[in-house]
Amino acid sequence: MGTIGKRVYEALFLMDTAMAAADWDGTLKVIETVLSRGEAEILSIRKWDERKLAYDIDGKGRGTYILVYFRMDTQKVTVVERAIWLSEKIMRVMILRTDRMTQADMDRPTPIVLAETMPAGVDGVPAGIAPSAPSAPMAPMAPAAPSPN
Amino acid sequence: MAFKKKPMQRKKRFNTGIREQSQCRFCREKIDYVDYKDIPTLSKLLTNRGKIFSRKRSGNCASCQRKVKFAIKRARYMSLLPYSL
Ligand SMILES: [Zn+2]
C-alpha cells in the first residue's frame, strides 16, 4: 500500500446555530468524535463565524462555522467523510489538503475575530452584501423554518 | 453661425501616464492560493445575480481565474455565497 503517511487538513464544519449556542462544548464534541474515527490529531479548533447562510439548508437560515486543522493518515479520510455523512448534526463540511496553503493562509483571522476587533460599521461580514440581499424576498418562505430558532 | 463649433478634441493617448496592468490582481499580490473563505475578495468577483465575472471583466489571468472559480464553487457549497439570486 502506498504509505503517504500523514497530512495536515483543513476542515470547515457548518453546524446548527441553535445547537452551537445552546451547547458549545457538545458541538465541538460532535466534531471531535467524527475526527477521532480517523485518529486525527487536532491542531486547532475554533469558531470561524456565525452568519446568515446564502441559501437555506435543512430549513435553517443561519449557521455556525467551525474551522479545524488536523493531522491525519491520508488513508483515513474516507472513513471520516463517511462518519460525517452519517451525522445529522453536521450540515455541511469542506475538507481540504493544506499543501498549497501558506502558514499565513491558515493563521488568517476569522471574520468573527475581525468583527470583534473592528468598530461595528466596517466589518466585512455584512459587506458581503450579496447573500443578505435576497433575504427580503425570501422572507415569506421563512415561516416554515424559524421554529428551530 | 448660430452655434460655436466645438474645438476638435485631441485624441486620447493611452500610452502616456497610465500603463495597462500587465498582471492580474492575484498575480500582482503574489497570491498563490485563493481562499474560498475569503468572502470579501470573492464577492467582488460576482455580479449582483451571483454569477462569476468573466475573465475579461475581472482581468484575471487564466490560472487565477481557475483558482477563483473553484474557490467560489467551494464557497457556494458551504452556503457562504449564493448559487444564484
Ligand atoms: Zn493571475
Side-chain angles (χ1 to χ4, degrees):
Chain A
M1 283 294 276
T3 41
I4 313 156
K6 299 196 172 209
R7 270 212 178 99
V8 176
Y9 293 93
E10 176 200 273
L12 186 64
F13 287 83
L14 175 55
M15 313 293 283
D16 179 19
T17 292
M19 179 177 85
D23 183 9
W24 178 247
D25 291 336
T27 308
L28 293 186
K29 188 85 191 137
V30 169
I31 293 171
E32 283 161 5
T33 309
V34 146
L35 291 178
S36 71
R37 296 294 195 83
E39 289 149 32
E41 174 201 344
I42 294 177
L43 305 174
S44 85
I45 182 164
R46 59 199 152 129
K47 189 179 197 173
W48 186 71
D49 201 8
E50 191 275 309
R51 61 166 73 198
K52 194 180 176 309
L53 301 179
Y55 53 88
D56 288 8
I57 298 177
D58 304 339
K60 291 170 192 120
R62 295 190 75 82
T64 298
Y65 292 89
I66 297 170
L67 185 62
V68 190
Y69 287 97
F70 58 94
R71 184 177 287 119
M72 192 170 69
D73 198 321
T74 51
Q75 310 277 313
K76 300 279 174 62
V77 175
T78 44
V79 179
V80 169
E81 280 180 338
R82 201 170 307 129
I84 288 167
W85 279 115
L86 294 177
S87 168
E88 288 176 7
K89 288 171 182 160
I90 298 169
M91 292 157 70
R92 286 284 157 97
V93 72
M94 176 70 68
I95 303 176
L96 298 178
R97 271 168 22 191
T98 54
D99 11 353
R100 301 275 171 97
M101 302 176 198
T102 61
Q103 195 58 43
D105 286 324
M106 294 193 249
D107 294 340
R108 188 168 295 146
T110 63
I112 203 151
V113 172
L114 290 174
E116 279 165 13
T117 48
M118 262 196 264
V122 199
D123 56 343
V125 183
I129 337 163
S132 63
S135 65
M138 300 252 299
M141 285 172 67
S147 48
N149 300 329
Chain B
M1 282 267 246
F3 55 89
K4 264 189 215 160
K5 205 176 172 189
K6 256 194 190 167
M8 256 244 279
Q9 290 233 322
R10 229 200 278 156
K11 243 191 190 172
K12 267 190 191 166
R13 283 191 296 167
F14 288 101
N15 291 334
T16 52
I18 308 153
R19 265 259 232 56
E20 203 179 309
Q21 267 157 1
S22 59
Q23 279 185 311
C24 86
R25 64 178 89 190
F26 293 99
C27 289
R28 243 181 292 137
E29 288 165 37
K30 300 214 171 70
I31 290 174
D32 203 38
Y33 169 70
V34 179
D35 190 0
Y36 74 95
K37 303 190 295 308
D38 188 358
I39 303 307
T41 301
L42 295 181
S43 58
K44 279 180 210 147
L45 296 166
L46 296 177
T47 67
N48 48 17
R49 304 285 301 181
K51 298 211 266 181
I52 304 173
F53 275 139
S54 66
R55 184 174 308 166
K56 200 170 182 182
R57 170 69 204 264
S58 62
N60 287 341
C61 71
S63 91
C64 293
Q65 180 75 359
R66 201 177 315 119
K67 288 174 192 166
V68 163
K69 177 182 79 177
F70 287 126
I72 289 174
K73 289 181 176 184
R74 284 170 174 166
R76 282 174 178 166
Y77 172 72
M78 292 303 287
S79 196
L80 292 167
L81 291 175
Y83 279 100
S84 67
L85 289 179

PDB file of all heavy atoms in Angstrom, chain A residues 94-106:
ATOM      1  N   MET A  94     -16.307  20.943   4.529  1.00  0.00           N
ATOM      2  CA  MET A  94     -15.355  21.071   3.420  1.00  0.00           C
ATOM      3  C   MET A  94     -13.988  20.689   3.965  1.00  0.00           C
ATOM      4  O   MET A  94     -13.449  21.373   4.829  1.00  0.00           O
ATOM      5  CB  MET A  94     -15.360  22.519   2.908  1.00  0.00           C
ATOM      6  CG  MET A  94     -14.356  22.835   1.837  1.00  0.00           C
ATOM      7  SD  MET A  94     -14.683  22.102   0.233  1.00  0.00           S
ATOM      8  CE  MET A  94     -16.148  22.981  -0.261  1.00  0.00           C
ATOM      9  N   ILE A  95     -13.472  19.574   3.496  1.00  0.00           N
ATOM     10  CA  ILE A  95     -12.153  19.129   3.952  1.00  0.00           C
ATOM     11  C   ILE A  95     -11.163  19.333   2.822  1.00  0.00           C
ATOM     12  O   ILE A  95     -11.399  18.882   1.702  1.00  0.00           O
ATOM     13  CB  ILE A  95     -12.175  17.637   4.364  1.00  0.00           C
ATOM     14  CG1 ILE A  95     -13.217  17.403   5.451  1.00  0.00           C
ATOM     15  CG2 ILE A  95     -10.798  17.204   4.843  1.00  0.00           C
ATOM     16  CD1 ILE A  95     -13.368  15.950   5.858  1.00  0.00           C
ATOM     17  N   LEU A  96     -10.088  20.036   3.105  1.00  0.00           N
ATOM     18  CA  LEU A  96      -9.085  20.316   2.080  1.00  0.00           C
ATOM     19  C   LEU A  96      -7.696  19.968   2.588  1.00  0.00           C
ATOM     20  O   LEU A  96      -7.412  20.084   3.776  1.00  0.00           O
ATOM     21  CB  LEU A  96      -9.098  21.815   1.726  1.00  0.00           C
ATOM     22  CG  LEU A  96     -10.370  22.408   1.135  1.00  0.00           C
ATOM     23  CD1 LEU A  96     -10.156  23.896   0.917  1.00  0.00           C
ATOM     24  CD2 LEU A  96     -10.728  21.734  -0.158  1.00  0.00           C
ATOM     25  N   ARG A  97      -6.856  19.558   1.651  1.00  0.00           N
ATOM     26  CA  ARG A  97      -5.444  19.406   1.970  1.00  0.00           C
ATOM     27  C   ARG A  97      -4.841  20.790   2.107  1.00  0.00           C
ATOM     28  O   ARG A  97      -5.290  21.731   1.463  1.00  0.00           O
ATOM     29  CB  ARG A  97      -4.745  18.686   0.819  1.00  0.00           C
ATOM     30  CG  ARG A  97      -4.777  17.210   0.972  1.00  0.00           C
ATOM     31  CD  ARG A  97      -4.355  16.463  -0.242  1.00  0.00           C
ATOM     32  NE  ARG A  97      -3.518  17.181  -1.195  1.00  0.00           N
ATOM     33  CZ  ARG A  97      -3.245  16.717  -2.410  1.00  0.00           C
ATOM     34  NH1 ARG A  97      -3.749  15.575  -2.783  1.00  0.00           N
ATOM     35  NH2 ARG A  97      -2.491  17.392  -3.222  1.00  0.00           N
ATOM     36  N   THR A  98      -3.811  20.898   2.920  1.00  0.00           N
ATOM     37  CA  THR A  98      -3.245  22.234   3.132  1.00  0.00           C
ATOM     38  C   THR A  98      -1.910  22.421   2.420  1.00  0.00           C
ATOM     39  O   THR A  98      -1.242  23.423   2.645  1.00  0.00           O
ATOM     40  CB  THR A  98      -3.040  22.502   4.634  1.00  0.00           C
ATOM     41  OG1 THR A  98      -2.266  21.431   5.173  1.00  0.00           O
ATOM     42  CG2 THR A  98      -4.355  22.584   5.366  1.00  0.00           C
ATOM     43  N   ASP A  99      -1.544  21.505   1.554  1.00  0.00           N
ATOM     44  CA  ASP A  99      -0.194  21.630   0.947  1.00  0.00           C
ATOM     45  C   ASP A  99      -0.015  22.912   0.132  1.00  0.00           C
ATOM     46  O   ASP A  99       1.086  23.419   0.020  1.00  0.00           O
ATOM     47  CB  ASP A  99       0.228  20.416   0.104  1.00  0.00           C
ATOM     48  CG  ASP A  99      -0.866  19.434  -0.195  1.00  0.00           C
ATOM     49  OD1 ASP A  99      -1.954  19.603   0.366  1.00  0.00           O
ATOM     50  OD2 ASP A  99      -0.632  18.503  -0.980  1.00  0.00           O
ATOM     51  N   ARG A 100      -1.108  23.405  -0.459  1.00  0.00           N
ATOM     52  CA  ARG A 100      -0.968  24.628  -1.255  1.00  0.00           C
ATOM     53  C   ARG A 100      -1.037  25.888  -0.388  1.00  0.00           C
ATOM     54  O   ARG A 100      -0.763  26.979  -0.851  1.00  0.00           O
ATOM     55  CB  ARG A 100      -2.083  24.705  -2.300  1.00  0.00           C
ATOM     56  CG  ARG A 100      -2.108  23.539  -3.251  1.00  0.00           C
ATOM     57  CD  ARG A 100      -1.172  23.759  -4.408  1.00  0.00           C
ATOM     58  NE  ARG A 100      -1.036  22.543  -5.210  1.00  0.00           N
ATOM     59  CZ  ARG A 100      -1.736  22.317  -6.312  1.00  0.00           C
ATOM     60  NH1 ARG A 100      -2.591  23.197  -6.743  1.00  0.00           N
ATOM     61  NH2 ARG A 100      -1.559  21.205  -6.986  1.00  0.00           N
ATOM     62  N   MET A 101      -1.474  25.728   0.844  1.00  0.00           N
ATOM     63  CA  MET A 101      -1.680  26.904   1.677  1.00  0.00           C
ATOM     64  C   MET A 101      -0.387  27.279   2.387  1.00  0.00           C
ATOM     65  O   MET A 101       0.434  26.433   2.708  1.00  0.00           O
ATOM     66  CB  MET A 101      -2.750  26.622   2.733  1.00  0.00           C
ATOM     67  CG  MET A 101      -4.075  26.211   2.154  1.00  0.00           C
ATOM     68  SD  MET A 101      -5.236  25.796   3.456  1.00  0.00           S
ATOM     69  CE  MET A 101      -6.445  24.866   2.513  1.00  0.00           C
ATOM     70  N   THR A 102      -0.259  28.567   2.659  1.00  0.00           N
ATOM     71  CA  THR A 102       0.876  29.007   3.451  1.00  0.00           C
ATOM     72  C   THR A 102       0.436  29.104   4.909  1.00  0.00           C
ATOM     73  O   THR A 102      -0.752  29.033   5.211  1.00  0.00           O
ATOM     74  CB  THR A 102       1.348  30.393   2.995  1.00  0.00           C
ATOM     75  OG1 THR A 102       0.266  31.308   3.190  1.00  0.00           O
ATOM     76  CG2 THR A 102       1.750  30.384   1.545  1.00  0.00           C
ATOM     77  N   GLN A 103       1.410  29.278   5.796  1.00  0.00           N
ATOM     78  CA  GLN A 103       1.065  29.432   7.207  1.00  0.00           C
ATOM     79  C   GLN A 103       0.169  30.655   7.386  1.00  0.00           C
ATOM     80  O   GLN A 103      -0.766  30.643   8.183  1.00  0.00           O
ATOM     81  CB  GLN A 103       2.355  29.572   8.040  1.00  0.00           C
ATOM     82  CG  GLN A 103       2.148  29.369   9.529  1.00  0.00           C
ATOM     83  CD  GLN A 103       1.540  28.009   9.865  1.00  0.00           C
ATOM     84  OE1 GLN A 103       1.932  26.995   9.300  1.00  0.00           O
ATOM     85  NE2 GLN A 103       0.566  27.990  10.757  1.00  0.00           N
ATOM     86  N   ALA A 104       0.449  31.696   6.598  1.00  0.00           N
ATOM     87  CA  ALA A 104      -0.363  32.914   6.701  1.00  0.00           C
ATOM     88  C   ALA A 104      -1.814  32.636   6.340  1.00  0.00           C
ATOM     89  O   ALA A 104      -2.735  33.169   6.967  1.00  0.00           O
ATOM     90  CB  ALA A 104       0.210  33.993   5.790  1.00  0.00           C
ATOM     91  N   ASP A 105      -2.028  31.782   5.348  1.00  0.00           N
ATOM     92  CA  ASP A 105      -3.400  31.427   4.975  1.00  0.00           C
ATOM     93  C   ASP A 105      -4.120  30.776   6.148  1.00  0.00           C
ATOM     94  O   ASP A 105      -5.295  31.010   6.391  1.00  0.00           O
ATOM     95  CB  ASP A 105      -3.393  30.441   3.784  1.00  0.00           C
ATOM     96  CG  ASP A 105      -3.044  31.130   2.477  1.00  0.00           C
ATOM     97  OD1 ASP A 105      -3.460  32.291   2.306  1.00  0.00           O
ATOM     98  OD2 ASP A 105      -2.363  30.514   1.642  1.00  0.00           O
ATOM     99  N   MET A 106      -3.377  29.937   6.857  1.00  0.00           N
ATOM    100  CA  MET A 106      -4.011  29.180   7.935  1.00  0.00           C
ATOM    101  C   MET A 106      -4.209  30.036   9.183  1.00  0.00           C
ATOM    102  O   MET A 106      -5.109  29.773   9.972  1.00  0.00           O
ATOM    103  CB  MET A 106      -3.153  27.952   8.262  1.00  0.00           C
ATOM    104  CG  MET A 106      -3.111  26.964   7.113  1.00  0.00           C
ATOM    105  SD  MET A 106      -2.440  25.392   7.617  1.00  0.00           S
ATOM    106  CE  MET A 106      -0.893  25.385   6.754  1.00  0.00           C
TER     107      MET A 106
END
